[in-house]
Amino acid sequence: MTADEASRPRTPHRAEVFGDGLSCGCTTGGYGVLLDFDGLVLDSEGTALSVLRAMFEERATVLPEALPHLMNGVLAFARSSLTMVAADDPVEALLDEFEQRCVERCGELAAMDGITNLLDTVSEHGDTVAVVTNNEAGWVMDQLTRLGLHGKVGALVTRDGDPGCRAKPSPDLYRKAAARAGLPDGRLIAVEDSPTGVAAATAAGLACVAVRNPAFRGLPFDAADLVVDSARLLDSCTLRNVLSVRAEQGWA
């Protein structure tokens, strides 16, 4: 995904957290589905842009066009744009306000459309799920619990506590998740919502499906194996079909 730090508090947590009764690769012969979090499970990125627009309106200023700058992530865009209104408030103070308002708003959001059904179909087929995110483990786990999705996710892989692990678009997080899964790459598929996340997954050698988040709808997803407009259009069979096509093409 993108620089997801925009939507979470800055608190250190463990690098990897695993749910009860599940771990990646625990199903013999199964598949692993590696999900991004921000913008895919929870619309935290759209919320962050909404908060940013509100902060500009409150200061009688128009937010610059976001789309050309979102390839570097929402937080990077927030930092660069907030310098425009930092005459009376330091940029760090504005970023703290931005972050706090994002956290409060995100705590009121439901899971994004289709995600719960996707997780259910993956579970029904005996496949496993990991969330792979730039965000911090504690906050993501809290949100998964709040959304009632904690029991559907077998693993959470983040950069927390691992200074050598780079954020997406680096493939580091996906390589860590793949190693933890104990499955061949041909049985792993990533689901992302941003070009940054797709780049990370494909650089790790994984198949990747892109779900167009409204915040990134105008950006290119050329590297994805499949692009859909909503997670409602995905289920376990669709993801397995993507892997089958790749195998036929000699990718596996």
Side-chain angles (χ1 to χ4, degrees), residues 16 34 132 157 162 164-166 168-183 185 188 190 199-206:
E16 299 172 26
L34 310 178
V132 182
V157 181
D162 186 353
C165 185
R166 298 166 296 174
K168 301 173 189 178
S170 162
D172 288 1
L173 284 167
Y174 276 113
R175 285 174 177 161
K176 178 187 288 190
R180 193 60 153 163
L183 293 169
D185 289 352
L188 294 170
T202 56
L206 302 179

Side-chain angles (χ1 to χ4, degrees), residues 48-216:
L49 289 175
S50 176
V51 168
L52 200 56
R53 291 189 189 98
M55 290 179 67
F56 270 70
E57 290 173 1
E58 291 160 7
R59 291 162 175 83
T61 307
V62 178
L63 180 69
E65 172 59 38
L67 192 60
H69 307 285
L70 289 179
M71 291 293 286
N72 295 321
V74 173
L75 182 60
F77 174 62
R79 179 178 290 276
S80 63
S81 59
L82 285 172
T83 59
M84 299 173 57
V85 292
D88 298 323
D89 301 293
V91 173
E92 289 302 322
L94 290 173
L95 282 170
D96 286 343
E97 177 188 346
F98 167 68
E99 183 178 278
Q100 184 58 41
R101 290 170 70 165
C102 286
V103 169
E104 292 172 357
R105 288 274 302 277
C106 286
E108 301 170 355
L109 298 176
M112 293 194 73
D113 194 23
I115 284 297
T116 300
N117 182 68
L118 173 59
L119 292 175
D120 286 342
T121 66
V122 169
S123 177
E124 288 167 5
H125 281 81
D127 300 331
T128 56
V129 175
V131 168
V132 182
T133 174
N134 285 343
N135 216 321
E136 290 187 351
W139 188 80
V140 174
M141 186 63 73
D142 287 347
Q143 297 305 310
L144 289 171
T145 300
R146 180 182 67 80
L147 296 169
L149 301 178
H150 174 263
K152 303 176 189 293
V153 174
L156 173 59
V157 181
T158 77
R159 294 187 299 147
D160 300 38
D162 186 353
C165 185
R166 298 166 296 174
K168 301 173 189 178
S170 162
D172 288 1
L173 284 167
Y174 276 113
R175 285 174 177 161
K176 178 187 288 190
R180 193 60 153 163
L183 293 169
D185 289 352
R187 287 184 174 270
L188 294 170
I189 186 166
V191 184
E192 280 281 354
D193 72 292
S194 73
T196 303
V198 172
T202 56
L206 302 179
C208 186
V209 172
V211 178
R212 292 189 187 276
N213 180 304
F216 304 111

